[in-house]
Amino acid sequence: MEPEYFIGVDISKVTLDICIVNVKGDQIAAYKTANTEASIADILGVLSTNHKVTPENICFCAEDMGLFGSFLSKVLAAGKYRICFESSLRIKKSIGIQRGKNDAIDALRIARYACANFNSLRFRTVPRRCISDLKELSTVRKRLLKTRK
């Protein structure tokens, strides 16, 4: 089933910029929230009340920012939403040369990318708890070894 809305999320360390577009690619709304589980859950509540969003009629797409996207993927997986983390280079190359860059514009471009390429998106599945814990520990270990050098 193809979704009615596509949500592009630009992830940074502290904040998330969220943009909603319809199937035609027209922007409906834009939000900015903190990159915490509670804030993401609150924004999902706002989306469901203001735009009648359900897990069946929506598709989330975000740049793969590694550890910074963990809160988003955890909350969306708990709500059984479809989430796709795409390479920022793939998104940039699909758009072509563009002028202007800020987080809100990036979120809009990500949402339009998801709308145009919905059939080729690879949605993330939730790994088992032990696998995700090992992955986080491995990432922390790599960072500590890098700073040790």
Side-chain angles (χ1 to χ4, degrees), residues 29-133:
Y31 300 97
K32 187 169 192 156
T33 186
N35 192 0
T36 62
E37 288 184 33
S39 298
I40 296 169
D42 290 343
I43 203 75
L44 284 177
V46 168
L47 292 174
S48 64
T49 56
N50 292 352
H51 305 288
K52 307 296 184 242
V53 167
T54 63
E56 292 81 30
N57 71 351
I58 198 155
C59 170
F60 284 87
C61 185
E63 289 180 343
D64 192 3
M65 297 301 289
L67 208 55
F68 298 138
S70 63
F71 293 134
L72 181 68
S73 65
K74 191 181 297 184
V75 172
L76 293 178
K80 297 193 178 7
Y81 288 93
R82 288 182 278 194
I83 179 74
C84 172
F85 287 97
E86 280 291 327
S87 164
S88 57
L89 182 64
R90 181 176 291 162
I91 294 171
K92 183 179 176 181
K93 283 188 173 184
S94 72
I95 295 170
I97 298 173
Q98 296 285 321
R99 291 185 176 254
K101 173 146 175 47
N102 64 30
D103 292 340
I105 292 173
D106 284 347
L108 176 63
R109 289 177 180 162
I110 293 167
R112 287 184 175 157
Y113 170 83
C115 183
N117 300 305
F118 175 72
N119 292 328
S120 65
L121 294 179
R122 290 172 283 145
F123 296 103
R124 181 167 285 188
T125 58
V126 181
R128 294 186 323 215
R129 178 75 182 155
C130 61
I131 301 296
S132 62
D133 288 345

